[in-house]
Amino acid sequence: MSSVPDGKKLVRSPSGLRMVPENGAFNSPFSLDEPQWVPDKECPRCMQCDTKFDFIRRKHHCRRCGRCFCDKCCSKKVSLPRMCFVDPVRQCAECSLVSQKEMEFYDKQLKVLLGGGMFLVTLGSSEKSETMTCRLSNNHRYLFLDGESHFEVELSRITSMQILTDGTSPGGGTSRASGMLLHYKPMGSQDAQQLRVEAADDKKVASLWLAAMHKAAKLLYEARDQ
């Protein structure tokens, strides 16, 4: 499935232009659905400051939460890649802060995940480890593990993820990520399998990759709980 090309199409919604996969089955696991807008007749006042709407004070819908606000409370236009918008879109103050924080993941950490890192990988209860490159696929849907062998883990089939730490850090600060323990259900199976990933030679690169993967897991779980 990971080799199937992901075609894109441009669609127009009430919220703006979106570039989405032609087949919804190939959506990024980090993506969020557009919210249902609160109907105009149900919001005579701004849902933040309680200002009454009239011909001068127009109502605006936040593209992330769908709630209704006045221009003052919903004036920021912020990028929202999790909903595949082409351009920055109008968001309320609360949602714009969340979206701005997520942009760090898309601008920095996602590139780290795509670049990959070198790890010692142990599958299941095996005592044998293999040195492999772990990286996120370009469509964000798979973890690729490449060494003498190759296998893939679909992110949507990960059931749990735990970041392992080495308990030490230069300067005595927060402990550094040194590995990852995840459980996932292989395609066609309902039985969870364990995968242990531990930093190989370049521990700094590995730690950055693991930290990015930890952030990715948070977005993944949030998308599932939507």
Side-chain angles (χ1 to χ4, degrees):
M1 291 290 289
S2 60
S3 61
V4 177
D6 299 343
K8 301 278 187 177
K9 63 180 179 180
L10 191 65
V11 298
R12 181 181 292 278
S13 74
S15 299
L17 287 174
R18 302 170 66 223
M19 185 67 73
V20 300
E22 290 182 349
N23 187 333
F26 297 130
N27 283 335
S28 165
F30 307 128
S31 65
L32 298 173
D33 295 330
E34 281 190 85
Q36 291 289 329
W37 284 11
V38 174
D40 287 349
K41 62 182 180 182
E42 294 182 12
C43 52
R45 296 176 177 273
C46 174
M47 300 179 81
Q48 179 65 40
C49 70
D50 206 37
T51 297
K52 186 176 181 180
F53 296 123
D54 53 30
F55 289 110
I56 298 176
R57 295 179 180 85
R58 297 179 58 194
K59 61 188 65 175
H60 301 276
H61 286 87
C62 171
R63 271 49 174 175
R64 184 176 181 119
C65 69
R67 294 186 300 161
C68 201
F69 302 91
C70 67
D71 180 69
K72 182 179 179 181
C73 295
C74 193
S75 60
K76 291 187 177 181
K77 289 191 175 183
V78 182
S79 295
L80 188 48
R82 296 189 72 186
M83 291 184 188
C84 304
F85 286 112
V86 175
D87 301 307
V89 292
R90 188 184 291 268
Q91 298 178 55
C92 66
E94 181 179 347
C95 286
S96 65
L97 287 175
V98 175
S99 295
Q100 286 170 348
K101 289 180 180 178
E102 289 176 350
M103 282 308 300
E104 180 181 353
F105 173 76
Y106 280 90
D107 288 342
K108 298 178 182 179
Q109 293 163 320
L110 189 56
K111 294 177 182 177
V112 172
L113 291 174
L114 293 170
M118 195 70 71
F119 296 90
L120 292 174
V121 179
T122 307
L123 188 61
S125 58
S126 172
E127 296 182 359
K128 182 181 178 181
S129 298
E130 182 179 346
T131 300
M132 309 183 83
T133 298
C134 301
R135 67 178 181 86
L136 187 68
S137 65
N138 290 334
N139 60 14
H140 312 160
R141 297 180 61 239
Y142 296 87
L143 280 182
F144 288 159
L145 298 101
D146 291 296
E148 291 185 4
S149 58
H150 167 87
F151 65 95
E152 306 165 0
V153 175
E154 189 170 0
L155 263 64
S156 64
R157 301 187 67 82
I158 293 175
T159 57
S160 68
M161 181 186 302
Q162 177 186 355
I163 298 298
L164 309 174
T165 60
D166 59 11
T168 60
S169 178
T174 305
S175 58
R176 185 166 59 184
S178 60
M180 174 177 68
L181 187 66
L182 61 83
H183 293 86
Y184 70 100
K185 293 180 180 179
M187 188 66 67
S189 173
Q190 290 302 311
D191 297 326
Q193 190 159 356
Q194 178 177 291
L195 182 70
R196 187 181 184 94
V197 172
E198 296 176 283
D201 295 334
D202 195 334
K203 297 188 183 300
K204 182 178 180 180
V205 170
S207 181
L208 290 173
W209 192 90
L210 290 166
M213 193 64 201
H214 185 238
K215 176 63 176 179
K218 290 182 178 179
L219 300 187
L220 182 65
Y221 296 146
E222 180 184 316
R224 288 179 181 173
D225 294 339
Q226 187 184 41

